[in-house]
Each structure stands twice: as C-alpha cells, then as structure tokens.
Amino acid sequence: MHFHQELIKLLASATQLKEEEIEQLLSVPPNPAMGDYAFPCFKLQCFSGNPKEKAEQLKLQMQENLPSFVAKTEIAGPYLNFFLNQTVLAEKALKEIYKEAKWYGKTDVGKGKNIIIDFSSPNIAKPFGIGHLRSTVIGHCLYHVFEYLGYTVVGVNHLGDWGTQFGKLIVAYKKWGIKEELQKEPIHYLLKLYVKFHEEAEKNEDLNELARAEFKNLEDGDKEALALWEAFKEVSLKEFQRIYDILEVKFDSYEGEAFYNYLLNDTVSVLEKNKEVPTEISDGALVVDLKKFNMPPVLLRKTNGSTSYHTRDLAAAFYRLKKYKPQKVIYVVGMEQKLHFQQLFKVLEFAGVDKNKFIHVDFGLFMFPEGKMSTRKGQVIFLEEVLDRAIGEIQEIIEQKNPDLKNKEKIAKHVGVGAIIFADLSTDRIRNIDFDWKRMLSFEGETGPYLQYTHARACSILRKAKHDHKLMPNTHVSFVQFQLPVEFAVVKLLYTFPEIILKTAEAYKPHILAHYLLSLAQAFNEFYHQCPVLSDELNLSKARLLLVDCVRQVLANGLELLGMKAVEEM
Ligand code: ARG
C-alpha cells in the first residue's frame, strides 16, 4: 500500500472523517521545507479550540502510533505537516519499482469496466489532417492509460465515411475523374477533385443540387454510387493505414459512420416516439428542439429524407451502449465540434441515458507557421510529410552526434515520431500548439528527444556499470547511503508515478503524465550531474545504480503510455 493511502487511513481514524474527505483535504506543500504532506485542521469537529489548537490536538493524537515512514510532524499555523522518512521511502519505492518493473504503476481499479474511446476518425477521401493526428495521439495515449488502470478499452475509429461530401465527390468523379489518376495518388487526387467541385460550384449552383441528389442515391443503395464510394473508401483506408503503421496505432473497431446506416430508421423512429425527446417538424425536416438550452436544433432527418452526422452519432451511441455496456464513452475530437457533442449529449439525456457516461475530450489546434488551412481550398498539410521531415531531421542530428550508432534509421524513426507525439501531448490539450520545428526536435528542453535521450543515458550508465565493474542493479543495498536532496528528489518523483497515471486518467489529460516525465528526467539529470553513480563506496554505488535502473524503468513505462518508444541508445 502507498504511504499516501496509509496516511489517509490514519488521519481518518484520528479525525473521524471519511477517507474520501481526508483525500480531498490532504495536500502536498509547494515548498518541500514544509514537509511532504500538509493537513488543514480548521474544519475538524472532533477537536475544540482555534485551528492551531486543533492542529496541536491532532498532532498529539497521531503521535501515539506514528508509523515508521513518518519521520516527524510539525505544526504550521492551522496545518499539521508530515515529513516522510526519506530512507524508508527510498527503500520501499525502489524495491517496489524494481520488483514490479514494467508493471509498476499498473492497477486494477478499472477491472470489469469497459471504456470506449472514439478516436482518430478521419474522413474518407480527405487527407489525414493534423486535427486527426491530435485525436490519434491523445486517444492512443488515453487508451494505454486506461488499460494500465485495468479497464477493458475498446478503441473505435469512427471513420467519416458517409455524408454529403460523398455526393460532391461522386459528381466530381463522374464529370472529371480519371481512374488511373485515382490509383496513382488517391488522396491527393480526391482532394483535387473536391477542390475543383467547390470552384465550379461557386459558378454553377446546380452542382450542389446534383451532389445532394447523388448522396441521396448513395443512401438509397444505388449501385454505381455505391461502387464509387467503395473505391474511395478502399484507397483512403490504405493511405491511413500507412500513417497508423508509422505511429504504431491499432483499433479494435473501424465501425464508422456508414456502418450505422441499417440502424438509422429505427434510431429516428425511437426518438420520435419518445415523449421525453422534444422532436418537431421544421421546414419539412425532423429535428430535436434545443431552444431551451440555447442550442440550435439537432437535425434527425432532412427534408429529402437523408440523415445527418448527428443521426449517425446517435445511432452509434445507442449501439455502443448496448454492445459494450461501457462505463464511459470518450470522444477525442477537436474543440470545433464542441456544440455538436453538447447537442448530442443533450438528446441522449432526453432519451434517458446517464449523461455522465459521455465525455467530449476536446483539444485545440496545431498552428503552423503557414497559417490556417482549408480543405475546400486545397491548402492542407500532409501529415506524412510532417512525419517524414521530423524523421529526416533527427537522422541528420544523429549523423552529426553519433555517426557510429547501430540501427540509425530505426532510432531516427522512433525519435522523430516521438518528437511530434510529445509536442502534442506535452501541451494541455485544450490549448493551441505552435508548431515549432526547431524547438520540437531539440535534444534539450521540454521535448520528446530529451526524454528519450535521458532514458538512453540511464541505459548507458547501466551498461557501463555492468561491463566495466560487473555491477548489476539489485535490491540488496543499504538505503541509508542516500544523503543528498537530489537523490531523494528523484526517489519522491518515482514514488508518485502511480498517482500521476490516475490523475492523467481522471482529467483525460496526457500532459499531466508528459510533464511528470519531464520533471523526472530533469531531476535525474541533476542527480547525475551532482553524484558520480560509481563512487569509491561500493554500497553507495549499488544504491545509486538501483536508482538509475528505477528511473530507466519509470521513463520507459511512461514513454510507452504516451505512445513513444524508449530507445536504449541514440
Ligand atoms: N470524422 C469526424 C471529423 O473528422 C470526426 C468523428 C468523431 N467521432 C464522432 N463520433 N463524431 O470531423
């Protein structure tokens, strides 16, 4: 059991408060000189007097059976501060990490519970955009994090493979399409057709009407329209797969929008019949009225009978509830769809679904120096080009720094891709990210390469100790040897890893984990700077070597959770 939990239990019995209440109150003082934990005493009912007197009484009460991991307690105003015994902490933490190794931080809090993560979800016949990259990277990280916590996670790629844009493409292809071109460079070519459609439609309004009719054809199962749609889908999926291969992302399901077609009629009629759902006919279309909530209506069925993005998301939601009985359904989708999801969740709530089940994990934009892009105008950044450039630049850096490195290409790929992933995950997802090549690819600062480099450095220290001194990490060491604040700073960080994973999951925010790993790497580099790992004193060398090994392990576990590779050399 973690000291943290043990302390909570002790405080709960001393104050007669519930453990959850203690957990809320107990905090980590910003200044380490104030101890490892601070507990506010003003609200305690079980003691009388002013807050300071209450703190004194609590101190006395706790003193009776203070566990060995608490070195001392101190009163600071209305707070009782706890100082952990550093040696006990070091011993417990490092032994635990060494023993649990790649399972360190894993729990089964989510055992028996299903979580659906709807992520990536690019649109067929369009380039895989940077927004989809963000969704892929954030979703993939959350997938790992929840799995680590014992949940059964279902990763769904809700492909955008249905909708009016296919009407446009079918019109464009029928008018101007050339089969060979489509085979050669499918996505570029489809994008070209899409752009041409919009240019022509500005001059000729009829084209939009034609597109709507073609989409209706598609929905009605017209053979020719369906065949074209299938061809577009096939070539697109092939292209997307290349990106998923580079990122090493997998999905449990590719049930995208088109998959739900067979459920749409039922979904609409069930909602229409449900008295709790305020449906109405508006200009011939069937909508759910959300005026009361200051939101525009949700379109269930258009005037010409075809359905909408919302209808398909509603069908998907009911289908997933039935199939997976999930505890949560998480949609990792950009902020620009905030309203879409607020409306969706409102309709689900009307239909009697527990509204806390559904979460929109939203995120901001990746801002390129080139400015805002528009698919309609054909200004897009091709993700593969971004990844290729990152890999190429890292390759050059490695060529300069470490030309004799084995497996250079593979490592450049892991570090280049890692740099992009980390640039994304290290920023609070709701903020925009300025895409700054130089900063992102640097081996120093708050970057992916820096973390991977730190991991590789720990590996190299361990290799050297083994090779030159026949020393391997093990737990038969004396922890009393640790004396320096830098050593304990690293231990303390290592010890909080499991809590960090929980916090990351609770907030659905990978940057919590990313920042933690940066702090750990910084503390470790400081330690390495100040302390020779292999000193004259054998016991001290052994203890420090174990510390290095635990840092290596936690960095590796953390990088893996982020979706990055922990390379051993670079
Ligand atoms: N295909 C959509 C887009 O690119 C994202 C889909 C997100 N998931 C969902 N269930 N709506 O905008």
Side-chain angles (χ1 to χ4, degrees):
M1 184 163 53
H2 248 62
F3 297 151
H4 182 72
Q5 266 121 25
E6 265 178 68
L7 191 61
I8 289 175
K9 276 206 163 38
L10 287 169
L11 278 166
S13 81
T15 60
Q16 289 147 29
L17 287 176
K18 289 205 192 80
E19 286 181 24
E20 299 84 74
E21 292 171 284
I22 303 281
E23 178 141 34
Q24 291 284 320
L25 292 169
L26 197 63
S27 65
V28 176
N31 175 0
M34 306 289 287
D36 298 287
Y37 291 105
F39 187 73
C41 301
F42 359 69
K43 286 199 191 136
L44 294 179
Q45 301 283 347
C46 55
F47 304 120
S48 54
N50 63 34
K52 181 146 191 283
E53 286 161 356
K54 290 184 177 187
E56 272 157 10
Q57 291 169 64
L58 180 63
K59 182 176 159 77
L60 267 179
Q61 175 121 352
M62 297 287 294
Q63 213 62 45
E64 280 169 23
N65 51 1
L66 210 55
S68 65
F69 66 83
V70 178
K72 60 172 181 178
T73 56
E74 257 176 22
I75 292 170
Y79 284 90
L80 186 59
N81 292 343
F82 294 84
F83 292 77
L84 296 185
N85 180 323
Q86 311 262 34
T87 318
V88 174
L89 177 68
E91 172 162 1
K92 182 170 152 67
L94 299 192
K95 279 189 173 168
E96 187 174 320
I97 297 167
Y98 185 79
K99 191 173 122 230
E100 295 184 5
K102 65 177 186 191
W103 285 279
Y104 175 60
K106 245 187 169 156
T107 67
D108 56 3
V109 289
K111 202 168 160 207
K113 293 179 207 145
N114 295 345
I115 286 212
I116 297 179
I117 305 186
D118 175 324
F119 72 111
S120 193
S121 314
N123 298 321
I124 298 297
K126 286 197 192 167
F128 194 105
I130 278 295
H132 297 114
L133 172 70
R134 294 216 64 192
S135 170
T136 308
V137 165
I138 297 168
H140 192 218
C141 172
L142 294 177
Y143 190 111
H144 287 145
V145 166
F146 279 102
E147 209 169 45
Y148 218 64
L149 296 176
Y151 291 88
T152 303
V153 189
V154 187
V156 185
N157 194 335
H158 188 79
L159 290 170
D161 54 2
W162 207 249
T164 38
Q165 75 268 30
F166 292 99
K168 295 177 187 173
L169 266 182
I170 291 171
V171 171
Y173 191 80
K174 278 189 177 171
K175 278 193 177 303
W176 313 296
I178 303 166
K179 199 170 170 192
E180 293 70 39
E181 295 279 323
L182 179 67
Q183 299 301 346
K184 242 193 304 180
E185 277 209 311
I187 301 264
H188 284 76
Y189 185 62
L190 288 171
L191 178 65
K192 227 156 111 186
L193 284 179
Y194 194 67
V195 172
K196 186 167 167 84
F197 178 90
H198 281 278
E199 282 166 5
E200 297 290 324
E202 289 213 338
K203 295 176 246 159
N204 177 2
E205 244 307 297
D206 296 348
L207 281 176
N208 281 318
E209 200 43 56
L210 266 177
R212 275 191 285 275
E214 279 293 2
F215 179 55
K216 185 75 175 67
N217 275 342
L218 189 60
E219 288 211 299
D220 294 342
D222 175 78
K223 276 220 174 70
E224 197 186 355
L226 264 179
L228 280 176
W229 171 78
E230 296 232 3
F232 299 158
K233 181 162 170 169
E234 196 189 308
V235 290
S236 306
L237 277 181
K238 234 195 225 153
E239 299 250 327
F240 296 159
Q241 193 53 48
R242 277 216 309 277
I243 292 173
Y244 294 139
D245 286 345
I246 300 178
L247 297 169
E248 299 189 27
V249 176
K250 288 200 180 68
F251 299 90
D252 301 299
S253 153
Y254 280 87
E255 283 165 353
E257 294 192 42
F259 171 81
Y260 297 100
N261 279 336
Y262 79 105
L263 292 169
L264 296 181
N265 279 337
D266 276 359
T267 305
V268 172
S269 72
V270 166
L271 288 170
E272 200 175 5
K273 279 186 204 130
N274 188 333
K275 291 211 170 52
E276 305 298 320
V277 186
T279 47
E280 63 178 31
I281 302 287
S282 160
D283 289 335
L286 179 68
V287 302
V288 182
D289 173 32
L290 297 178
K291 258 198 277 348
K292 258 201 216 139
F293 305 92
N294 277 326
M295 286 191 265
V298 165
L299 188 57
L300 294 179
R301 198 174 48 223
K302 297 180 189 166
T303 320
N304 73 355
S306 67
T307 55
S308 72
Y309 181 40
H310 263 131
T311 326
R312 292 186 284 281
D313 251 329
L314 283 161
F318 290 121
Y319 170 87
R320 291 167 180 176
L321 287 173
K322 195 164 153 204
K323 179 163 174 183
Y324 301 107
K325 307 202 171 32
Q327 198 210 22
K328 297 250 184 256
V329 186
I330 300 168
Y331 299 83
V332 187
V333 187
M335 215 172 277
E336 63 285 358
Q337 293 194 30
K338 201 174 186 116
L339 177 63
H340 170 82
F341 286 103
Q342 281 171 339
Q343 292 171 297
L344 176 70
F345 298 169
K346 202 74 208 163
V347 178
L348 289 169
E349 196 185 330
F350 281 138
V353 181
D354 171 8
K355 65 173 178 195
N356 297 320
K357 254 192 205 323
F358 292 88
I359 295 132
H360 177 200
V361 169
D362 56 351
F363 51 80
L365 302 170
F366 235 134
M367 313 286 274
F368 282 87
E370 290 87 338
K372 199 171 157 30
M373 305 286 134
S374 145
T375 321
R376 290 191 178 188
K377 298 217 171 89
Q379 314 155 315
V380 289
I381 287 180
F382 286 90
L383 182 59
E384 245 177 317
E385 287 167 16
V386 173
L387 292 171
D388 285 346
R389 176 164 165 196
I391 296 170
E393 293 202 13
I394 293 289
Q395 219 153 3
E396 275 171 34
I397 300 178
I398 291 180
E399 214 54 72
Q400 286 161 14
K401 290 198 174 197
N402 192 359
D404 301 327
L405 181 69
K406 275 183 256 134
N407 291 324
K408 264 186 280 196
E409 255 168 47
K410 200 165 144 203
I411 291 175
K413 185 201 142 196
H414 290 329
V415 178
V417 171
I420 306 254
I421 294 178
F422 195 78
D424 188 324
L425 296 183
S426 56
T427 309
D428 188 336
R429 58 177 164 73
I430 60 171
R431 291 179 35 205
N432 292 343
I433 304 173
D434 281 316
F435 205 87
D436 177 342
W437 282 105
K438 215 170 136 55
R439 199 194 61 219
M440 227 168 60
L441 297 176
S442 163
F443 280 35
E444 278 148 44
E446 306 191 336
T447 68
Y450 169 70
L451 275 188
Q452 284 165 313
Y453 187 69
T454 307
H455 175 267
R457 170 179 272 176
C459 291
S460 121
I461 297 170
L462 293 163
R463 271 196 307 271
K464 217 165 152 284
K466 183 177 169 196
H467 184 267
D468 299 353
H469 305 272
K470 306 272 170 298
L471 270 184
M472 303 255 275
N474 65 63
T475 50
H476 305 290
V477 292
S478 160
F479 295 92
V480 188
Q481 307 289 333
F482 282 151
Q483 295 297 338
L484 302 171
V486 269
E487 291 167 326
F488 290 116
V490 176
V491 169
K492 248 178 97 173
L493 276 167
L494 288 172
Y495 191 63
T496 54
F497 181 62
E499 258 168 71
I500 295 292
I501 298 176
L502 277 173
K503 281 193 188 140
T504 303
E506 267 162 22
Y508 311 100
K509 288 194 170 190
H511 81 276
I512 297 175
L513 175 59
H515 283 196
Y516 161 82
L517 292 173
L518 284 174
S519 313
L520 177 62
Q522 271 148 14
F524 172 71
N525 283 320
E526 194 120 319
F527 154 80
Y528 180 70
H529 204 69
Q530 286 185 34
C531 311
V533 173
L534 300 174
S535 73
D536 303 334
E537 170 108 52
L538 185 62
N539 255 323
L540 182 57
S541 302
K542 282 184 175 175
R544 286 184 178 160
L545 202 59
L546 180 66
L547 185 69
V548 175
D549 190 44
C550 290
V551 170
R552 174 201 62 73
Q553 186 69 61
V554 171
L555 283 176
N557 295 6
L559 285 168
E560 197 93 353
L561 287 172
L562 293 180
M564 293 165 63
K565 284 275 181 296
V567 294
E568 295 186 5
E569 268 181 288
M570 68 185 259

